[in-house]
Amino acid sequence: MDSVTSLEWQDGVLVLLDQTLLPGQITYRVLGTVEQVRDAIRDMVVRGAPAIGVAAAYGMALAARQAPSDGFPAFYAALDSAGHMLALSRPTAVNLSWAIDRMLAKSRACSELPVDFILTELEQEAIAIHQEDIAINRAIGSNLLSLVQPGDTILTHCNAGALATAGYGTALSVFFVALEQGIELKAFIDETRPRLQGARLTAFELVQSGIDATLVSDNMAAVVMSQAKIQAVIVGCDRIAANGDTANKIGTFGLSILARHFNIPFYIAAPTPTIDWDCPSGHDIPIEERSGEEITMINGERIAPAGVKTYNPSFDVTPAAHISAIVTERGIVRPPFAENLAKIREPWSGPKKN
Amino acid sequence: MDSVTSLEWQDGVLVLLDQTLLPGQITYRVLGTVEQVRDAIRDMVVRGAPAIGVAAAYGMALAARQAPSDGFPAFYAALDSAGHMLALSRPTAVNLSWAIDRMLAKSRACSELPVDFILTELEQEAIAIHQEDIAINRAIGSNLLSLVQPGDTILTHCNAGALATAGYGTALSVFFVALEQGIELKAFIDETRPRLQGARLTAFELVQSGIDATLVSDNMAAVVMSQAKIQAVIVGCDRIAANGDTANKIGTFGLSILARHFNIPFYIAAPTPTIDWDCPSGHDIPIEERSGEEITMINGERIAPAGVKTYNPSFDVTPAAHISAIVTERGIVRPPFAENLAKIREPWSGPKKN
């Protein structure tokens, strides 16, 4: 696969492609501490729920190395505290706490081992999470591909691509898997204000891979749909409640209303760890609000007058009723979601809260 | 009224506030030829359908001065040719051709006069169009005010304010008329990509007038509506077909679908010259497509990778069925629009095609 790489584990340090500088500049950041990982997640050097999860897993492996090595209780207390710090960096993505919890559970499972051995086990666990993410995304792509026809044009929002994951992407995996099979799909991309992840990242990924991609402003989606240019909407997500309500980048909810209006199938692409079994509905998903400067400033220049208020919710919740299917690595889940999501639940798939 | 002024006629030249530089810079352009007016309209130094109409009227007064003065036929031929040139500068706004046609009709009505006298008559006609626009907008504002309650929050899109007109604005007139009457209304403003007229212009106007205004990205409208923060959507428009289908800035159509979904009234604010009686439906309204660089470049900096395609329709058409009322200076028109719009038609109100 030729798609771009968001993160690599190299000789005990985490190397991140700095996504805040794309598409103009390809710069890698080398992170050796959990605090650096926390800052990178908070500042969106790495973004996308699955990529955040993988980065957090490596962050926990780094935290383990920073923790006291004189006995498990002190070691675990430091690791647990690092987990709490990491979890605060982006509140909406469930993969973040899922990965942290999995790393903590692994350390508890190793509590009888010397701390040096635990460090190795945790590094291996993070690498496993990383590799699983790639395999999961490939499976999601294959499942998505079964829902579309060769030649179809798919509208996507934000970036749920290789950059948002450890590889392939969730929503975008359909394009990369299709490409591997010689099947042509076309893309329309919402630019995704305020941070323009569609324009900056999704367009970058698709163009790099030679996929036919057309960029539009978010507010053009209705016109594009009305002209019958779109056969499906496919987006990623940050958290799915047990009833199927889905949090994703701001604008997804509006897009789901438009898709219903035009009878266009609306698919959520999601690895099962994105399902938060402890979260009964969308009302229970915390929605991150970010600085108003994301709206009033572009590229460091003010585009709005001083004195104007702003409202900048970074995510919104698409009700389950607007979703045609949730496409996971374990298969395509159709409504009713409360019932059908539960069928794909397995013990290891959910966050293990303690 | 303290609202900003988009254009003034001063001693035989047209002075335009350069709206491409707002809100950072307040710069006036002095135009003495019809070619300069054409360029200013095309480059969006002046924008907004009513303001374009007034600018075009003054442009025709300038064209008359540039025309040969040796007999009416040569004079009229030059004026008519200038009118054709001007009309091409922005294809969607009907006020443009309406103002040009009105100036041509005035010149024909004066064909027996010496050309010098015709020049004065045409200048007076342009000033009349200018003054009528201000009076019309004030009447629209009063009519809109009757549709909302004190304390309401209104969502608007693009800029249909004093800057888009000769004063008061169409959609925004409700805020300025309310202010004069001591009635508080609050605004949510869509930033309106790609040219950000909401962020740059509407926010500027409302903040200048001390009105409580909150700026959001276009893709946040659904969330804001779902939180019951919006009691009405009010937008301006560029052209209304005889059946009520309405062309306005890209994004309006999508907004109308969202407003229907949330049962929020959706009002079009429009002076009657915006109604194109020769245009049976929205299918007959030409939609201007502008350069893709409006999407891929912001403030002169690329935000999307080279190689990505773009689609940049500058307007969209909101079907009559999505519109709760069309609010004109002659009253509030409710559905069925084909029937009820015809009731407010008067001979002078439509474009006089020849």
Side-chain angles (χ1 to χ4, degrees):
Chain A
M1 193 197 45
D2 284 327
S3 73
V4 291
T5 299
S6 58
L7 80 183
E8 290 288 349
W9 183 249
Q10 287 178 359
D11 301 324
V13 294
L14 179 60
V15 180
L16 294 182
L17 174 59
D18 187 342
Q19 301 192 32
T20 65
L21 303 177
L22 290 176
Q25 210 176 309
I26 295 179
T27 301
Y28 293 89
R29 307 256 170 242
V30 178
L31 313 182
T33 69
V34 66
E35 290 81 7
Q36 289 174 328
V37 175
R38 184 243 353 242
D39 293 351
I41 293 172
R42 184 195 58 209
D43 300 341
M44 300 177 71
V45 171
V46 61
R47 23 71 49 209
I52 287 172
V54 175
Y58 285 122
M60 291 296 281
L62 293 171
R65 274 204 242 136
Q66 296 167 255
S69 56
D70 51 344
F72 187 78
F75 170 82
Y76 186 79
L79 197 62
D80 188 50
S81 154
H84 278 98
M85 179 194 69
L86 261 185
L88 293 174
S89 55
R90 297 292 305 276
T92 305
V94 73
N95 310 55
L96 180 59
S97 55
W98 172 85
I100 294 164
D101 289 344
R102 181 161 155 187
M103 293 295 283
L104 287 171
K106 183 72 186 179
S107 76
R108 287 194 304 276
C110 302
S111 64
E112 304 299 315
L113 298 176
V115 165
D116 271 4
F117 284 75
I118 305 181
L119 298 187
T120 307
E121 289 293 320
L122 287 177
E123 181 175 4
Q124 290 308 314
E125 187 73 359
I127 291 169
I129 289 174
H130 187 166
Q131 293 306 319
E132 284 166 21
D133 187 59
I134 295 173
I136 282 171
N137 296 333
R138 236 176 151 267
I140 291 171
S142 298
N143 288 334
L144 284 168
L145 195 55
S146 73
L147 293 170
V148 297
Q149 300 297 317
D152 274 4
T153 301
I154 295 162
L155 176 67
T156 190
H157 187 74
C158 197
N159 175 261
L163 289 167
T165 63
Y168 281 91
T170 53
L172 297 194
S173 62
V174 68
F175 292 102
F176 301 124
V177 171
L179 201 63
E180 288 175 348
Q181 301 186 13
I183 294 169
E184 194 207 11
L185 295 176
K186 298 192 198 79
F188 264 75
I189 308 166
D190 279 348
E191 64 175 5
T192 319
R193 281 282 288 150
R195 292 184 68 101
L196 297 163
Q197 293 95 332
R200 292 187 196 273
L201 307 179
T202 298
F204 173 77
E205 282 192 41
L206 295 183
V207 167
Q208 286 266 323
S209 298
I211 293 158
D212 184 314
T214 301
L215 180 65
V216 292
S217 303
D218 299 298
N219 61 20
M220 294 173 188
V223 160
V224 172
M225 288 180 180
S226 75
Q227 293 167 346
K229 287 187 171 149
I230 302 298
Q231 283 75 49
V233 178
I234 304 181
V235 297
C237 65
D238 290 75
R239 190 182 300 216
I240 300 175
N243 72 344
D245 292 349
T246 295
N248 188 41
K249 184 56 54 191
I250 187 70
T252 306
F253 175 34
L255 213 51
S256 77
I257 296 169
L258 298 181
R260 264 164 82 90
H261 182 83
F262 292 107
N263 286 312
I264 295 171
F266 188 90
Y267 300 124
I268 301 287
T272 47
T274 317
I275 305 166
D276 185 351
W277 304 104
D278 294 338
C279 182
S281 84
H283 298 292
D284 308 293
I285 301 178
I287 297 297
E288 176 183 5
E289 268 190 55
R290 296 180 64 90
S291 160
E293 288 198 350
E294 290 190 348
I295 297 176
T296 59
M297 311 275 294
I298 297 183
N299 289 338
E301 202 180 317
R302 272 199 87 82
I303 53 141
V308 73
K309 296 183 189 178
T310 53
Y311 175 52
N312 184 19
S314 199
F315 300 89
D316 57 27
V317 174
T318 298
H322 294 196
I323 299 168
S324 310
I326 295 171
V327 181
T328 75
E329 76 279 15
R330 298 195 192 160
I332 297 163
V333 182
R334 298 273 185 186
F337 291 114
E339 190 180 325
N340 292 337
L341 280 175
K343 289 182 191 160
I344 62 157
R345 184 174 185 178
E346 286 178 26
W348 66 266
S349 71
K352 297 182 187 71
K353 296 277 166 62
N354 297 295
Chain B
M1 193 197 44
D2 284 327
S3 73
V4 292
T5 300
S6 59
L7 80 184
E8 290 287 349
W9 182 248
Q10 287 179 359
D11 302 324
V13 294
L14 178 61
V15 180
L16 294 183
L17 174 59
D18 187 342
Q19 301 192 33
T20 65
L21 303 177
L22 291 176
Q25 210 175 309
I26 295 178
T27 301
Y28 293 90
R29 307 257 169 241
V30 179
L31 313 182
T33 69
V34 65
E35 290 81 8
Q36 288 174 329
V37 175
R38 184 243 352 239
D39 293 351
I41 293 172
R42 184 195 57 208
D43 300 340
M44 300 177 71
V45 171
V46 60
R47 24 71 49 208
I52 288 172
V54 175
Y58 285 123
M60 291 297 280
L62 293 171
R65 275 204 242 134
Q66 297 168 254
S69 56
D70 51 344
F72 187 79
F75 169 83
Y76 186 80
L79 197 63
D80 188 50
S81 154
H84 278 98
M85 179 194 69
L86 260 186
L88 293 174
S89 55
R90 298 291 306 276
T92 305
V94 74
N95 310 56
L96 178 60
S97 55
W98 172 85
I100 293 164
D101 289 345
R102 182 162 154 185
M103 293 295 282
L104 287 171
K106 183 72 185 179
S107 76
R108 288 193 304 276
C110 301
S111 64
E112 303 300 314
L113 297 176
V115 165
D116 271 4
F117 284 75
I118 305 182
L119 297 188
T120 307
E121 288 293 321
L122 287 176
E123 181 175 3
Q124 289 309 313
E125 188 74 359
I127 292 170
I129 289 174
H130 187 166
Q131 293 306 318
E132 284 166 20
D133 186 60
I134 295 172
I136 282 171
N137 295 334
R138 234 176 152 269
I140 291 172
S142 298
N143 288 333
L144 284 168
L145 195 54
S146 73
L147 293 170
V148 297
Q149 300 297 318
D152 274 3
T153 301
I154 295 163
L155 176 67
T156 190
H157 188 73
C158 196
N159 176 262
L163 289 167
T165 62
Y168 282 91
T170 53
L172 297 194
S173 63
V174 68
F175 292 101
F176 301 124
V177 171
L179 202 63
E180 289 175 348
Q181 301 185 15
I183 294 169
E184 194 208 9
L185 295 176
K186 298 192 198 79
F188 264 76
I189 308 167
D190 278 349
E191 64 175 4
T192 319
R193 282 281 289 149
R195 292 184 68 101
L196 297 164
Q197 293 95 333
R200 293 186 195 273
L201 308 178
T202 299
F204 173 77
E205 282 193 41
L206 295 183
V207 167
Q208 287 266 321
S209 297
I211 292 157
D212 185 314
T214 302
L215 181 65
V216 292
S217 302
D218 298 296
N219 61 20
M220 294 173 188
V223 160
V224 172
M225 288 180 180
S226 75
Q227 293 166 346
K229 287 188 170 148
I230 302 298
Q231 283 75 49
V233 178
I234 304 181
V235 297
C237 66
D238 290 74
R239 190 182 300 218
I240 299 175
N243 72 344
D245 291 349
T246 295
N248 188 40
K249 183 55 54 191
I250 187 70
T252 306
F253 174 35
L255 214 50
S256 77
I257 297 169
L258 298 181
R260 265 165 82 89
H261 182 83
F262 292 107
N263 287 311
I264 295 171
F266 189 89
Y267 300 123
I268 300 287
T272 47
T274 317
I275 304 166
D276 185 351
W277 304 104
D278 294 339
C279 181
S281 85
H283 298 292
D284 308 293
I285 301 178
I287 297 297
E288 176 183 6
E289 268 190 57
R290 297 180 63 89
S291 160
E293 289 198 350
E294 291 190 346
I295 297 176
T296 58
M297 311 275 292
I298 297 183
N299 290 337
E301 203 180 317
R302 272 199 88 83
I303 52 143
V308 73
K309 295 184 189 177
T310 53
Y311 175 52
N312 184 19
S314 199
F315 299 89
D316 57 28
V317 174
T318 298
H322 294 197
I323 298 169
S324 309
I326 295 171
V327 181
T328 76
E329 75 281 14
R330 297 196 191 157
I332 297 163
V333 183
R334 297 274 184 185
F337 291 114
E339 190 180 325
N340 292 339
L341 280 176
K343 289 182 191 159
I344 62 158
R345 184 174 185 176
E346 286 179 25
W348 66 265
S349 72
K352 298 183 185 70
K353 297 276 167 61
N354 298 293

